Amino acid sequence: KAAEAQREAERQKIRETEERRVAQQKALQEAEAEKIRLEDERAKKAFENSKAAAAQREAELQKIRETEERRVAQQKALKEAEAEKIRLEDERAKKAFEDSKAAEAQREAERQKIRETEERRVAQQKALQEAEAEKIRLEDERAKKAFENSKAAAAQREAELQKIRETEERRVAQQKALKEAEAEKIRLEDERAKKAFEDSKAAEAQR
């Protein structure tokens, strides 16, 4: 009897648990139904509102299309401006190339002029040196003759020897000055030639 009472209590507990489960299930189903009803109402209202929104979206789409048309037109204008810029740059580059050819011809003419000037300078220097050598030779001959004729005139010989020494010193000083001037001129001409060569390289790189 005690076991039967316990089993009955357990069955009662199972029935109560099942009743609570059924009640809970019913409450969940009713809540789900209410949720679906509310969602249907919201969907209906949203559909009604979407008709008004459709007109707004169409206006926005039209605005987007107009904006896109303006963007395309602006892009086209930019491309045309870029093409014009490239054409002008090509023309400038072509003109710069032609100018550089003319400048190179001018530089060659200047280098030729420098070479001719140098040739004339060398010829003139050679003539001056030959004239100086001849002058010294004649002076040496005169000095030698004077020395031979001045055995009795020691004072005269000394004066002539002094004159010879002074003449030689002047000749050496003049020769040194000419050589220094020549070296400076060659240095300047080398600098001008180097600069002209660098300018031609820069012009070539630009072309």
Side-chain angles (χ1 to χ4, degrees):
K1 286 193 285 184
E4 181 62 27
Q6 185 179 357
R7 286 194 293 274
E8 180 58 31
E10 290 173 354
R11 284 193 292 272
Q12 180 63 27
K13 188 176 179 180
I14 290 168
R15 283 193 296 273
E16 290 173 355
T17 300
E18 179 64 14
E19 287 172 357
R20 283 195 302 276
R21 188 190 65 75
V22 169
Q24 187 179 17
Q25 185 68 23
K26 182 179 178 182
L28 287 170
Q29 289 174 347
E30 288 175 351
E32 182 65 20
E34 178 63 14
K35 181 179 177 182
I36 291 169
R37 185 185 67 77
L38 291 173
E39 288 177 349
D40 287 344
E41 285 184 358
R42 282 196 296 271
K44 183 179 177 182
K45 184 177 181 184
F47 176 72
E48 291 173 352
N49 291 335
S50 69
K51 290 192 288 185
Q56 183 178 357
R57 282 195 300 274
E58 179 59 27
E60 290 173 351
L61 288 172
Q62 179 62 26
K63 186 176 179 181
I64 289 168
R65 284 192 293 270
E66 292 173 353
T67 300
E68 179 64 12
E69 288 172 358
R70 286 195 299 273
R71 187 192 66 78
V72 169
Q74 186 179 19
Q75 189 68 20
K76 182 180 178 183
L78 286 172
K79 286 181 180 178
E80 291 175 351
E82 181 65 18
E84 178 63 13
K85 181 180 177 182
I86 290 169
R87 187 187 67 78
L88 292 174
E89 288 176 348
D90 286 343
E91 286 186 356
R92 283 196 292 272
K94 183 179 178 182
K95 185 173 185 298
F97 177 71
E98 292 172 351
D99 291 344
S100 71
K101 287 196 295 184
E104 180 61 24
Q106 183 178 359
R107 284 194 296 273
E108 179 58 28
E110 290 173 352
R111 288 192 291 269
Q112 180 62 26
K113 186 176 178 182
I114 289 168
R115 285 192 295 269
E116 292 173 353
T117 301
E118 177 63 11
E119 289 171 357
R120 286 195 300 273
R121 185 195 64 76
V122 169
Q124 185 178 17
Q125 183 69 20
K126 183 179 179 182
L128 286 171
Q129 289 173 347
E130 290 174 350
E132 181 67 18
E134 179 64 13
K135 180 180 177 183
I136 290 168
R137 187 186 65 78
L138 293 173
E139 287 177 349
D140 287 344
E141 287 183 357
R142 283 195 297 271
K144 184 179 179 182
K145 185 177 181 182
F147 179 74
E148 291 173 350
N149 293 331
S150 65
K151 292 176 185 178
Q156 185 178 355
R157 287 199 300 274
E158 180 59 28
E160 290 174 350
L161 289 172
Q162 180 62 27
K163 184 176 179 181
I164 290 167
R165 285 193 293 272
E166 291 173 354
T167 301
E168 178 63 13
E169 288 172 357
R170 286 196 301 275
R171 184 191 66 76
V172 171
Q174 185 179 17
Q175 188 68 18
K176 182 179 177 183
L178 287 171
K179 286 181 180 178
E180 289 175 351
E182 177 63 18
E184 179 63 13
K185 183 171 182 182
I186 289 170
R187 186 186 67 78
L188 292 174
E189 289 173 350
D190 286 344
E191 286 184 358
R192 284 196 295 273
K194 182 178 177 183
K195 185 173 185 301
F197 179 69
E198 291 173 351
D199 291 344
S200 69
K201 284 201 298 182
E204 180 64 23
Q206 183 178 2
R207 288 197 294 275

